[in-house]
């Protein structure tokens, strides 16, 4: 019996409420290379876990925070999304939580739109982006 299994049984026996809470924070994903894989589900994950992939491709994604802009060429566009992301079984990259910044393409702004975009950028950096950086800093410190 592994140390993990011993610890789990101890908790099951002596702390059933804790065991129930821990069990609620896992998710089982069916993979094509490792069958059913049960992984810890971080509180920040949106819980969307498609099956039929490889275990290495299992990923946790957090709620995206989005920066939008009103442009001269396309009206309102999504400039970027930032979200927490983790691939606990990744083989080619980190298995730790990271922030993903997903960027959009080229867009045109008139002067008023550019000023408005600047204000939105400032608010985005000071608000949601700052908060997400704080959350990631906690995750990197070992708290999950
Ligand atoms: Zn997840």
């Amino acid at each position: 019996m592994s140390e993990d299994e011993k610890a789990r049984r101890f908790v099951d026996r002596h702390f059933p409420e804790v065991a129930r809470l821990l069990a609620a924070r896992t998710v089982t994903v069916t993979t094509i290379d490792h069958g059913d894989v049960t992984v810890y589900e971080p509180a920040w994950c949106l819980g969307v876990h498609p099956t039929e992939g490889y275990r290495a491709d299992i990923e946790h994604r957090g709620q995206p925070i989005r920066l939008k802009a009103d442009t001269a060429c396309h009206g309102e566009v999504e400039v970027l999304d930032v979200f927490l992301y983790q691939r606990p079984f990744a083989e080619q990259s980190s298995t730790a939580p990271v922030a993903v910044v997903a960027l959009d393409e080229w867009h045109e702004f008139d002067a008023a739109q550019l000023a408005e975009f600047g204000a939105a950028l400032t608010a985005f950096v000071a608000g949601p982006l700052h908060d997400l950086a704080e959350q990631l800093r906690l995750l990197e410190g070992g708290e999950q």
Side-chain angles (χ1 to χ4, degrees), residues 46-83:
L46 292 177
V48 179
H49 291 285
T51 58
E52 299 172 358
Y54 292 96
R55 186 179 70 170
D57 297 327
I58 292 174
E59 59 182 38
H60 299 295
R61 275 194 207 202
Q63 177 69 43
I65 55 172
R66 178 165 292 161
L67 178 63
K68 294 180 180 178
D70 183 28
T71 68
C73 53
H74 291 91
E76 186 176 89
V77 299
E78 297 165 6
V79 179
L80 59 82
D81 275 348
V82 186
F83 52 89

Side-chain angles (χ1 to χ4, degrees), residues 4 6 14 44 48 52 64 67 85 106-107 111 127 140:
D4 276 1
K6 285 182 194 169
H14 299 288
W44 51 264
V48 179
E52 299 172 358
L67 178 63
Y85 182 74
W106 284 31
H107 290 292
E140 287 175 349

